[in-house]
Amino acid sequence: RLMRKINNWLKELTLTQQLMSLILIFVAIFGTFLFVYLNGNINSFVRNQMFNMLQRTQTSIVYNYMRNPGNDLLFFANDANIAHAVYENGRVRYSSAFDIKDQTLLMLMRNNAQNQTETTRNYVYKNDNESETLYSITIVNEDVRLISFVVSSYQNEFKKTLISSVINIIVLVVSILVFLLMLWVIYLIHSLNQIRHYINKLRRNEEVDIKVDRKDEIGELATALVAMSNELKKQEQIKEELVQNISHDLKTPIATIKSYGESIKDGIYPYETLEKSVDVIIEHAGRLEKKVQSLLLLNRVGYLVTTRDTGETDLYDVIEKTLLSLKVIRPELKIIREIQHANFFGNEEPWRVVFENLMDNALRYAHTTITIRLNENELSVENDGPQLTNERIDKLFKPFEKGTDGQFGLGLSIVHRIITAYECEVYAYNSYDGVVFKITKKNPVKQDVKKVKEVKKKKPEEK
């Protein structure tokens, strides 16, 4: 429920507001991390730096003392940020900077100097107020111990300087990051405003162009919108052409039927005799009926492929049934069948419509032979008619694109709609001596190699 509220809240914000909210959340989380986790690490870092400084100073003092043994050890202790003391024969001598009021700490230093066996050792002392004192003890010889500690003011100043530097760097980095993010959001908003302006212009049917020179998702969105706009324009043009073609194709037979009917009513026979004139009316009525049936089928394709329970259809049976009814159209043609039982997704009636339209096209253009091939992954219908131009192939499956002997230009459009709905692909190409229409599955079935070889060895069956 909390995530849903956050999601709804984010939806109501602009991109700039979302960015600022994310930055504030980031700063809050990072600030917490800085003062909880990083603070402890800084304390550890400062402590290590102080001990390193103590050891370097003590090494220098001992080195100078060894080279000049006649001088006092404290003579070489001249660092204002570090106080020194010398433990010798049970007594402690302090430098001028040595200012410790805590008697417990002084006692610990004396005892540690007396009992230490390591050459150099670091110590941490915390009083009741959790105030920390760092000191180091180095054995100079059997009787002398050098005790050094960092002046508390210097240690605190070093820590403050370090924290201040870290914070300044973080603030600088965050500021640069915020600035870059703001530039990025402004760049995004500019591109999105271009897209919004483009869509508003399109909605008002105004001429508009969009230039979003980007290769990211927003650029892809702009490209997709332009492609969609162009496709809508094409569809609108197709609709207009569709209406014009329907009007033109229906107008001629209707006008013929009307004029012949009126002439016969007046006792005039336009085509020699009454029988011949009526035959003309019947012929044009048949053309009109086929046209209407094609339009109804084109409109009904979506219903056929979506409203029924879609299983699988054996195209072998579909081909056999269809050929029985089509073989009498052009009996002089030789029909070669290289087919096997193969199941394709979809209902039988749409597949029969597909094959009937492919055969109708082949019967119209074939010279002597039609070859039908079917296996588990594809169906092809080849005729030895005239080859197609590239321009014709590109427009082949669009509505009302007629060939030289075409009737209505709807058959292949119906084929394309059904095949696309059944997740297959249909395309045409020129063969050596004709044209091939091929339907293939988008997800082909792996065929048994032995079965494929057996099918190829069989002689083509003629019908």
Side-chain angles (χ1 to χ4, degrees), residues 15-61:
L15 280 177
T16 305
Q17 291 173 334
Q18 291 180 30
L19 175 64
M20 296 307 298
S21 300
L22 289 175
I23 290 174
L24 290 175
I25 293 172
F26 169 78
V27 170
I29 294 175
F30 191 78
T32 304
F33 165 79
L34 176 66
F35 290 104
V36 174
Y37 176 76
L38 195 58
N39 188 50
N41 286 341
I42 286 179
N43 287 334
S44 176
F45 176 79
V46 171
R47 183 182 298 171
N48 290 333
Q49 291 299 311
M50 294 298 102
F51 280 133
N52 289 336
M53 185 175 66
L54 286 175
Q55 291 175 9
R56 286 195 303 270
T57 303
Q58 287 187 329
T59 301
S60 175
I61 293 172

Side-chain angles (χ1 to χ4, degrees), residues 85-275:
V86 174
Y87 176 83
E88 186 176 5
N89 298 323
R91 296 177 55 208
V92 179
R93 295 185 295 108
Y94 305 105
S95 67
S96 58
F98 205 98
D99 185 18
I100 294 179
K101 303 292 192 294
D102 191 333
Q103 294 301 317
T104 303
L105 175 57
L106 292 174
M107 185 64 67
L108 281 173
M109 286 182 176
R110 181 188 296 271
N111 292 337
N112 290 331
Q114 183 177 354
N115 299 323
Q116 179 174 309
T117 57
E118 303 172 48
T119 303
T120 300
R121 184 174 178 181
N122 299 321
Y123 298 90
V124 179
Y125 170 77
K126 290 185 179 181
N127 59 19
D128 296 337
N129 298 324
E130 294 297 320
S131 179
E132 192 174 79
T133 301
L134 309 177
Y135 64 97
S136 180
I137 300 177
T138 296
I139 298 176
V140 179
N141 53 46
E142 293 182 0
D143 301 320
V144 179
R145 309 284 189 271
L146 177 62
I147 305 171
S148 305
F149 77 94
V150 180
V151 176
S152 59
S153 60
Y154 176 74
Q155 181 179 345
N156 294 332
E157 188 65 27
F158 181 84
K159 182 176 179 181
K160 288 179 181 179
T161 303
L162 180 61
I163 293 177
S164 177
S165 300
V166 171
I167 291 176
N168 289 337
I169 292 173
I170 292 172
V171 169
L172 178 62
V173 171
V174 171
S175 299
I176 294 173
L177 179 63
V178 171
F179 177 72
L180 294 176
L181 286 175
M182 288 299 297
L183 289 179
W184 178 64
V185 168
I186 291 171
Y187 182 49
L188 284 180
I189 292 174
H190 174 68
S191 299
L192 292 174
N193 283 334
Q194 283 184 292
I195 294 174
R196 182 178 62 181
H197 175 72
Y198 178 76
I199 294 173
N200 289 334
K201 288 280 189 179
L202 287 179
R203 187 176 57 187
R204 294 193 294 266
N205 293 324
E206 299 178 10
E207 289 295 329
V208 64
D209 191 16
I210 184 171
K211 295 181 180 179
V212 179
D213 188 17
R214 302 174 64 116
K215 303 299 182 182
D216 56 7
E217 288 79 359
I218 294 181
E220 292 176 357
L221 173 62
T223 303
L225 284 173
V226 172
M228 182 189 71
S229 174
N230 294 334
E231 184 63 27
L232 288 175
K233 288 178 181 178
K234 288 181 182 178
Q235 293 297 328
E236 189 65 28
Q237 185 178 357
I238 289 173
K239 284 183 181 179
E240 292 178 2
E241 293 176 355
L242 178 66
V243 173
Q244 293 174 1
N245 284 318
I246 292 174
S247 301
H248 179 270
D249 289 339
L250 295 181
K251 182 179 180 180
T252 301
I254 290 175
T256 302
I257 292 170
K258 183 179 179 182
S259 61
Y260 270 55
E262 290 174 349
S263 298
I264 292 172
K265 183 179 179 181
D266 295 335
I268 302 171
Y269 307 133
Y271 198 64
E272 298 178 359
T273 65
L274 175 61
E275 276 190 25

Side-chain angles (χ1 to χ4, degrees), residues 339-350:
I339 61 176
Q340 64 185 60
H341 289 278
N343 291 327
F344 278 65
F345 174 76
N347 296 306
E348 181 176 342
E349 184 179 353

Side-chain angles (χ1 to χ4, degrees), residues 326-373:
L326 294 178
K327 66 180 182 178
V328 296
I329 296 177
R330 292 188 63 185
E332 76 278 8
L333 292 177
K334 181 171 66 174
I335 300 179
I336 301 175
R337 297 179 301 164
E338 299 177 1
I339 61 176
Q340 64 185 60
H341 289 278
N343 291 327
F344 278 65
F345 174 76
N347 296 306
E348 181 176 342
E349 184 179 353
W351 276 114
R352 182 157 184 170
V353 170
V354 167
F355 187 68
E356 284 178 349
N357 279 287
L358 292 179
M359 283 300 298
D360 180 66
N361 184 79
L363 290 168
R364 189 177 303 116
Y365 294 103
H367 294 319
T368 60
T369 307
I370 296 175
T371 304
I372 304 166
R373 295 183 176 90

Side-chain angles (χ1 to χ4, degrees), residues 315 319 344 355 372-374 378-381 437-439:
L315 295 193
I319 293 172
F344 278 65
F355 187 68
I372 304 166
R373 295 183 176 90
L374 173 67
E378 62 184 34
L379 164 67
S380 67
V381 177
F437 287 84
K438 182 173 287 188
I439 296 170

